[in-house]
PDB file of all heavy atoms in Angstrom:
ATOM      1  N   GLU A  15     213.389 -21.172   5.018  1.00 96.00           N
ATOM      2  CA  GLU A  15     212.230 -20.284   4.919  1.00 96.00           C
ATOM      3  C   GLU A  15     211.960 -19.876   3.471  1.00 96.00           C
ATOM      4  O   GLU A  15     210.836 -19.577   3.111  1.00 96.00           O
ATOM      5  CB  GLU A  15     212.442 -19.040   5.779  1.00 96.00           C
ATOM      6  CG  GLU A  15     212.405 -19.321   7.270  1.00 96.00           C
ATOM      7  CD  GLU A  15     212.690 -18.085   8.107  1.00 96.00           C
ATOM      8  OE1 GLU A  15     212.734 -16.959   7.553  1.00 96.00           O
ATOM      9  OE2 GLU A  15     212.892 -18.254   9.321  1.00 96.00           O
ATOM     10  N   THR A  17     212.865 -21.845   0.817  1.00 96.00           N
ATOM     11  CA  THR A  17     212.994 -23.048  -0.004  1.00 96.00           C
ATOM     12  C   THR A  17     211.827 -23.997   0.235  1.00 96.00           C
ATOM     13  O   THR A  17     211.283 -24.052   1.331  1.00 96.00           O
ATOM     14  CB  THR A  17     214.320 -23.766   0.365  1.00 96.00           C
ATOM     15  OG1 THR A  17     215.396 -22.857   0.194  1.00 96.00           O
ATOM     16  CG2 THR A  17     214.561 -24.985  -0.495  1.00 96.00           C
ATOM     17  N   THR A  21     209.058 -33.650   2.391  1.00 98.00           N
ATOM     18  CA  THR A  21     209.097 -34.815   3.269  1.00 98.00           C
ATOM     19  C   THR A  21     209.505 -36.024   2.423  1.00 98.00           C
ATOM     20  O   THR A  21     209.531 -35.962   1.183  1.00 98.00           O
ATOM     21  CB  THR A  21     207.718 -35.090   3.889  1.00 98.00           C
ATOM     22  OG1 THR A  21     206.815 -35.456   2.834  1.00 98.00           O
ATOM     23  CG2 THR A  21     207.191 -33.887   4.659  1.00 98.00           C
ATOM     24  N   GLY A  31     206.133 -39.906 -10.008  1.00 89.00           N
ATOM     25  CA  GLY A  31     205.298 -39.233 -10.991  1.00 89.00           C
ATOM     26  C   GLY A  31     205.972 -38.271 -11.941  1.00 89.00           C
ATOM     27  O   GLY A  31     205.343 -37.808 -12.878  1.00 89.00           O
ATOM     28  N   ALA A  32     207.228 -37.960 -11.734  1.00 80.00           N
ATOM     29  CA  ALA A  32     207.883 -36.945 -12.565  1.00 80.00           C
ATOM     30  C   ALA A  32     208.997 -37.575 -13.390  1.00 80.00           C
ATOM     31  O   ALA A  32     210.059 -37.905 -12.870  1.00 80.00           O
ATOM     32  CB  ALA A  32     208.445 -35.831 -11.688  1.00 80.00           C
ATOM     33  N   ASP A  34     210.891 -36.248 -15.571  1.00 92.00           N
ATOM     34  CA  ASP A  34     212.039 -35.378 -15.820  1.00 92.00           C
ATOM     35  C   ASP A  34     212.669 -34.834 -14.530  1.00 92.00           C
ATOM     36  O   ASP A  34     213.413 -33.865 -14.559  1.00 92.00           O
ATOM     37  CB  ASP A  34     211.620 -34.219 -16.732  1.00 92.00           C
ATOM     38  CG  ASP A  34     212.829 -33.513 -17.337  1.00 92.00           C
ATOM     39  OD1 ASP A  34     213.821 -34.196 -17.654  1.00 92.00           O
ATOM     40  OD2 ASP A  34     212.775 -32.280 -17.473  1.00 92.00           O
ATOM     41  N   VAL A  38     219.370 -34.702  -6.971  1.00 98.00           N
ATOM     42  CA  VAL A  38     220.791 -34.396  -6.830  1.00 98.00           C
ATOM     43  C   VAL A  38     221.294 -34.686  -5.424  1.00 98.00           C
ATOM     44  O   VAL A  38     220.799 -34.130  -4.446  1.00 98.00           O
ATOM     45  CB  VAL A  38     221.062 -32.906  -7.173  1.00 98.00           C
ATOM     46  CG1 VAL A  38     222.532 -32.575  -7.010  1.00 98.00           C
ATOM     47  CG2 VAL A  38     220.584 -32.579  -8.585  1.00 98.00           C
ATOM     48  N   GLY A  54     218.538 -43.410  -8.471  1.00 94.00           N
ATOM     49  CA  GLY A  54     218.249 -42.472  -9.551  1.00 94.00           C
ATOM     50  C   GLY A  54     218.869 -41.096  -9.389  1.00 94.00           C
ATOM     51  O   GLY A  54     218.720 -40.246 -10.260  1.00 94.00           O
ATOM     52  N   ASP A  68     225.794 -23.552 -13.969  1.00 98.00           N
ATOM     53  CA  ASP A  68     225.920 -22.306 -14.735  1.00 98.00           C
ATOM     54  C   ASP A  68     226.278 -22.599 -16.191  1.00 98.00           C
ATOM     55  O   ASP A  68     227.382 -23.064 -16.487  1.00 98.00           O
ATOM     56  CB  ASP A  68     227.012 -21.441 -14.102  1.00 98.00           C
ATOM     57  CG  ASP A  68     227.287 -20.153 -14.861  1.00 98.00           C
ATOM     58  OD1 ASP A  68     226.627 -19.878 -15.888  1.00 98.00           O
ATOM     59  OD2 ASP A  68     228.189 -19.417 -14.421  1.00 98.00           O
ATOM     60  N   GLN A  70     227.302 -20.785 -18.443  1.00 97.00           N
ATOM     61  CA  GLN A  70     228.468 -20.032 -18.902  1.00 97.00           C
ATOM     62  C   GLN A  70     229.786 -20.582 -18.339  1.00 97.00           C
ATOM     63  O   GLN A  70     230.861 -20.127 -18.723  1.00 97.00           O
ATOM     64  CB  GLN A  70     228.318 -18.555 -18.519  1.00 97.00           C
ATOM     65  CG  GLN A  70     227.072 -17.906 -19.079  1.00 97.00           C
ATOM     66  CD  GLN A  70     226.980 -18.040 -20.587  1.00 97.00           C
ATOM     67  OE1 GLN A  70     227.923 -17.751 -21.315  1.00 97.00           O
ATOM     68  NE2 GLN A  70     225.840 -18.503 -21.077  1.00 97.00           N
ATOM     69  N   SER A  71     229.688 -21.545 -17.445  1.00 97.00           N
ATOM     70  CA  SER A  71     230.872 -22.117 -16.817  1.00 97.00           C
ATOM     71  C   SER A  71     231.466 -23.230 -17.670  1.00 97.00           C
ATOM     72  O   SER A  71     230.738 -23.995 -18.302  1.00 97.00           O
ATOM     73  CB  SER A  71     230.496 -22.685 -15.441  1.00 97.00           C
ATOM     74  OG  SER A  71     231.537 -23.484 -14.922  1.00 97.00           O
ATOM     75  N   GLN A  72     232.762 -23.333 -17.645  1.00 98.00           N
ATOM     76  CA  GLN A  72     233.419 -24.429 -18.368  1.00 98.00           C
ATOM     77  C   GLN A  72     233.090 -25.797 -17.767  1.00 98.00           C
ATOM     78  O   GLN A  72     233.316 -26.824 -18.384  1.00 98.00           O
ATOM     79  CB  GLN A  72     234.929 -24.234 -18.381  1.00 98.00           C
ATOM     80  CG  GLN A  72     235.580 -24.319 -17.006  1.00 98.00           C
ATOM     81  CD  GLN A  72     237.054 -23.963 -17.034  1.00 98.00           C
ATOM     82  OE1 GLN A  72     237.533 -23.341 -17.975  1.00 98.00           O
ATOM     83  NE2 GLN A  72     237.783 -24.346 -15.998  1.00 98.00           N
ATOM     84  N   ALA A 130     228.995 -48.260  -3.914  1.00 84.00           N
ATOM     85  CA  ALA A 130     230.317 -48.878  -3.831  1.00 84.00           C
ATOM     86  C   ALA A 130     230.482 -49.992  -4.855  1.00 84.00           C
ATOM     87  O   ALA A 130     231.585 -50.242  -5.342  1.00 84.00           O
ATOM     88  CB  ALA A 130     230.569 -49.405  -2.427  1.00 84.00           C
ATOM     89  N   THR A 132     229.648 -50.099  -7.889  1.00 79.00           N
ATOM     90  CA  THR A 132     229.981 -49.632  -9.235  1.00 79.00           C
ATOM     91  C   THR A 132     230.948 -48.451  -9.249  1.00 79.00           C
ATOM     92  O   THR A 132     231.299 -47.954 -10.314  1.00 79.00           O
ATOM     93  CB  THR A 132     228.697 -49.197  -9.975  1.00 79.00           C
ATOM     94  OG1 THR A 132     228.038 -48.196  -9.213  1.00 79.00           O
ATOM     95  CG2 THR A 132     227.765 -50.378 -10.178  1.00 79.00           C
ATOM     96  N   ARG A 134     234.511 -46.327  -8.676  1.00 72.00           N
ATOM     97  CA  ARG A 134     235.962 -46.529  -8.683  1.00 72.00           C
ATOM     98  C   ARG A 134     236.582 -46.072  -7.367  1.00 72.00           C
ATOM     99  O   ARG A 134     237.750 -46.310  -7.119  1.00 72.00           O
ATOM    100  CB  ARG A 134     236.583 -45.808  -9.864  1.00 72.00           C
ATOM    101  CG  ARG A 134     236.482 -44.309  -9.750  1.00 72.00           C
ATOM    102  CD  ARG A 134     237.144 -43.615 -10.896  1.00 72.00           C
ATOM    103  NE  ARG A 134     237.180 -42.197 -10.607  1.00 72.00           N
ATOM    104  CZ  ARG A 134     237.309 -41.254 -11.489  1.00 72.00           C
ATOM    105  NH1 ARG A 134     237.438 -41.574 -12.759  1.00 72.00           N
ATOM    106  NH2 ARG A 134     237.331 -40.006 -11.139  1.00 72.00           N
ATOM    107  N   TRP A 135     235.791 -45.402  -6.545  1.00 67.00           N
ATOM    108  CA  TRP A 135     236.260 -44.943  -5.241  1.00 67.00           C
ATOM    109  C   TRP A 135     236.214 -46.099  -4.258  1.00 67.00           C
ATOM    110  O   TRP A 135     235.371 -46.968  -4.340  1.00 67.00           O
ATOM    111  CB  TRP A 135     235.424 -43.775  -4.755  1.00 67.00           C
ATOM    112  CG  TRP A 135     235.545 -42.587  -5.643  1.00 67.00           C
ATOM    113  CD1 TRP A 135     234.724 -42.248  -6.671  1.00 67.00           C
ATOM    114  CD2 TRP A 135     236.582 -41.632  -5.628  1.00 67.00           C
ATOM    115  NE1 TRP A 135     235.180 -41.121  -7.293  1.00 67.00           N
ATOM    116  CE2 TRP A 135     236.333 -40.716  -6.673  1.00 67.00           C
ATOM    117  CE3 TRP A 135     237.708 -41.433  -4.847  1.00 67.00           C
ATOM    118  CZ2 TRP A 135     237.161 -39.642  -6.944  1.00 67.00           C
ATOM    119  CZ3 TRP A 135     238.526 -40.363  -5.108  1.00 67.00           C
ATOM    120  CH2 TRP A 135     238.251 -39.480  -6.158  1.00 67.00           C
ATOM    121  N   ARG A 138     235.680 -46.764   2.712  1.00 57.00           N
ATOM    122  CA  ARG A 138     236.605 -46.609   3.840  1.00 57.00           C
ATOM    123  C   ARG A 138     236.096 -47.195   5.134  1.00 57.00           C
ATOM    124  O   ARG A 138     236.759 -47.106   6.141  1.00 57.00           O
ATOM    125  CB  ARG A 138     236.896 -45.124   4.058  1.00 57.00           C
ATOM    126  CG  ARG A 138     237.549 -44.459   2.886  1.00 57.00           C
ATOM    127  CD  ARG A 138     239.016 -44.680   2.913  1.00 57.00           C
ATOM    128  NE  ARG A 138     239.630 -43.960   1.817  1.00 57.00           N
ATOM    129  CZ  ARG A 138     240.660 -44.391   1.138  1.00 57.00           C
ATOM    130  NH1 ARG A 138     241.222 -45.528   1.437  1.00 57.00           N
ATOM    131  NH2 ARG A 138     241.149 -43.693   0.148  1.00 57.00           N
TER     132      ARG A 138
END
Side-chain angles (χ1 to χ4, degrees):
E15 290 177 10
T17 304
T21 65
D34 196 36
V38 179
D68 177 1
Q70 302 305 310
S71 168
Q72 65 187 18
T132 57
R134 67 178 189 201
W135 297 94
R138 299 276 183 216

